[in-house]
Amino acid sequence: MSPGGAAALVVIGGALKGHRYDLTGDAFVIGRERQCDLLIDDTTVSRKHALLQRVEEKWFITDISKNGTHVNSRRVTGALALANGDKIAISTAAQLEFVGSEDTVPLLLEESEAIGRMHIDRKTREVRLRGQLLDPALSLAQYRLLEFFYMSGDAIRSREEVSRAVWPEADQAGITEQMIDALVKRLRDRLGQLDNDHDYILTLRGHGFRFSNPQL
């Protein structure tokens, strides 16, 4: 059963493959904005792409995007009731599976969250490396950067994407490569305080960065 008896979305395809999102409230937004409950940073995804709403313990999905949301290969029109095992496609960027509150979350996904050296609790913003809590907490910019990489899986991210994720309110023309590289270094230094045997953020010259979260 999903933790606490909640329904859940599990990512079965795309950069976030292996992540699980419990549906604990009455609404859940999927999209490209940082404020979304499930952030998918892909140009094919609308800022607010799909809305899930709970009505009397049943979940409904509504497409609010330009490029479309599909359930079981059919484009969503209006509010569609979800059933356990439904496959949800968010444009071409991510494939999700809906898990009802009384059904078992796929074991593979539970294991994939448990065996990574790093785990982030996005609700509390706690970061753990090999089970140890990173304390004191990261600065806001450091946390935004780490969460962006963490949610990107092993996708390569450019400096422009990093800039928009960390400083969404700023004039992007004023964000320099030196500022980004300095922030990456400070974050690496903080992570190294708990785990200096592994570099979680890899620099790919001429391309950007890639996150590495190996098994324990």
Side-chain angles (χ1 to χ4, degrees), residues 112-124:
S112 68
E113 289 191 346
I115 61 180
R117 286 170 73 145
M118 178 187 295
H119 178 73
I120 294 179
D121 186 327
R122 298 180 68 204
K123 293 181 179 178
T124 64

Side-chain angles (χ1 to χ4, degrees), residues 26-163:
D26 292 323
F28 187 93
V29 180
I30 302 170
R32 190 157 45 90
E33 285 188 345
R34 284 196 56 85
Q35 294 80 7
C36 291
D37 300 291
L38 198 173
L39 168 64
I40 304 176
D41 189 15
D42 188 284
T43 56
T44 67
V45 177
S46 298
R47 294 184 182 278
K48 288 186 174 65
H49 197 100
L51 171 65
L52 277 72
Q53 293 175 295
R54 180 167 56 184
V55 180
E56 296 182 353
E57 302 308 314
K58 193 168 186 65
W59 282 93
F60 293 80
I61 186 169
T62 305
D63 177 41
I64 51 177
S65 72
K66 293 181 179 179
N67 292 333
T69 301
H70 292 73
V71 173
N72 300 329
S73 300
R74 294 186 177 182
R75 184 156 185 167
V76 174
T77 57
L80 176 68
L82 291 170
N84 181 58
D86 278 349
K87 304 299 189 296
I88 304 168
I90 303 299
S91 182
T92 58
Q95 295 78 49
L96 317 172
E97 180 174 339
F98 177 77
V99 181
S101 60
E102 299 302 321
D103 294 284
T104 303
V105 173
L107 180 59
L108 172 62
L109 296 173
E110 292 184 339
E111 289 177 345
S112 68
E113 289 191 346
I115 61 180
R117 286 170 73 145
M118 178 187 295
H119 178 73
I120 294 179
D121 186 327
R122 298 180 68 204
K123 293 181 179 178
T124 64
R125 294 189 174 182
E126 288 184 346
V127 178
R128 294 184 182 273
L129 304 177
R130 292 179 166 181
Q132 298 183 69
L133 178 65
L134 186 63
D135 187 40
L138 297 172
S139 69
L140 177 59
Q142 291 170 351
Y143 176 78
R144 284 180 171 178
L145 177 63
L146 183 58
E147 182 188 62
F148 175 68
F149 285 140
Y150 184 81
M151 300 302 295
S152 296
D154 60 359
I156 297 173
R157 294 303 187 186
S158 68
R159 283 177 169 79
E160 290 77 13
E161 290 174 313
V162 167
S163 177

